[in-house]
Amino acid sequence: GENVEQHPSTLSVQEGDSAVIKCTYSDSASNYFPWYKQELGKRPQLIIDIRSNVGEKKDQRIAVTLNKTAKHFSLHITETQPEDSAVYFCAASPGGSYIPTFGRGTSLIVHP
Amino acid sequence: GAGVSQTPSNKVTEKGKYVELRCDPISGHTALYWYRQSLGQGPEFLIYFQGTGAADDSGLPNDRFFAVRPEGSVSTLKIQRTERGDSAVYLCASSRGDSSGNTIYFGEGSWLTVV
């Protein structure tokens, strides 16, 4: 089955800095890569996703890049704000099964 | 409904007891998922329904866990003879379940504590 590794487990930045979270996956059949943000005690919420036919996608301050050859994908957050503080999860989903496998999460702390 | 709804939001039960957790997916979503999330971990897949049938139950940890979705909408996750290690947040999610996209939307979860 699919295996998703996520790094770092904790990321601490100053407000205004950029943050980068990296994930790798094992199943070359995976073709859909969502990112979720989870605040304490809340549900994971989709913030951005990318499909395997695209190398990069941006939405305001967040962007995701995908390297299919290396089986890497990354989340980039620019101009971080305290409200970006949360746990972020990457996931990979093979097209046939539609079942996302999640990474272990990155706790992002943005200091004012 | 507007989103995925789960009940109860919190459940405390004694070791050995039976529990049921309910999930009401987004209206029209044919795919339904159960995940389990322990503290400091990512969601761990349990079972996936497409319509009424369990298309993949490979994530269920053992035969104490069972889930049903008899009419293709509401699903119930059933845990028999609960153990302290079952304590976790049980997340339900749903999606359109077609090849045009597989964004899954989570509910708020059911926090299960086995004492």
Side-chain angles (χ1 to χ4, degrees):
Chain A
E2 176 63 275
N3 182 49
V4 177
E5 300 286 339
Q6 183 172 348
H7 300 280
S9 56
T10 305
L11 180 58
S12 184
V13 300
Q14 289 295 128
E15 183 177 1
D17 287 350
S18 295
V20 181
I21 303 170
K22 299 183 179 182
C23 290
T24 61
Y25 62 100
S26 62
D27 189 345
S28 57
S30 286
N31 63 2
Y32 175 64
F33 306 91
W35 286 86
Y36 287 81
K37 175 183 180 182
Q38 187 176 31
E39 297 176 347
L40 193 62
K42 300 291 189 181
R43 74 182 77 192
Q45 291 195 300
L46 180 78
I47 55 171
I48 195 167
D49 57 13
I50 192 167
R51 301 187 189 280
S52 60
N53 58 348
V54 176
E56 182 175 359
K57 183 177 178 181
K58 291 184 72 173
D59 183 4
Q60 299 182 12
R61 294 186 299 109
I62 59 173
V64 58
T65 58
L66 171 64
N67 182 329
K68 285 175 55 182
T69 303
K71 297 198 188 81
H72 288 175
F73 57 115
S74 300
L75 177 71
H76 304 253
I77 305 174
T78 58
E79 300 171 30
T80 53
Q81 301 168 2
E83 50 265 38
D84 294 329
S85 297
V87 179
Y88 291 80
F89 294 99
C90 62
S93 180
S97 74
Y98 305 130
I99 300 171
T101 298
F102 286 82
R104 295 183 64 167
T106 296
S107 178
L108 174 65
I109 303 164
V110 181
H111 299 279
Chain B
V4 178
S5 175
Q6 291 188 246
T7 56
S9 55
N10 285 282
K11 175 73 175 178
V12 179
T13 191
E14 292 181 345
K15 179 175 176 296
K17 298 290 189 182
Y18 168 82
V19 298
E20 289 190 351
L21 307 175
R22 175 190 165 104
C23 173
D24 197 348
I26 293 171
S27 178
H29 279 192
T30 60
L32 184 145
Y33 308 75
W34 285 99
Y35 283 82
R36 178 169 68 176
Q37 187 175 27
S38 300
L39 196 63
Q41 303 292 321
E44 175 192 7
F45 169 72
L46 296 177
I47 187 169
Y48 159 60
F49 288 89
Q50 182 62 260
T52 60
D56 190 328
D57 64 356
S58 62
L60 295 177
N62 51 60
D63 61 6
R64 295 187 297 105
F65 289 75
F66 189 71
V68 296
R69 193 186 186 199
E71 297 178 356
S73 178
V74 170
S75 175
T76 304
L77 178 65
K78 308 181 181 196
I79 310 173
Q80 298 178 321
R81 305 184 303 280
T82 51
E83 300 177 357
R84 291 195 179 89
D86 298 335
S87 297
V89 178
Y90 289 81
L91 292 166
C92 178
S94 70
S95 76
R96 291 203 312 268
D98 57 38
S99 59
S100 67
N102 195 40
T103 301
I104 70 169
Y105 301 90
F106 284 96
E108 292 286 357
S110 291
W111 289 70
L112 175 65
T113 303
V114 182
V115 298

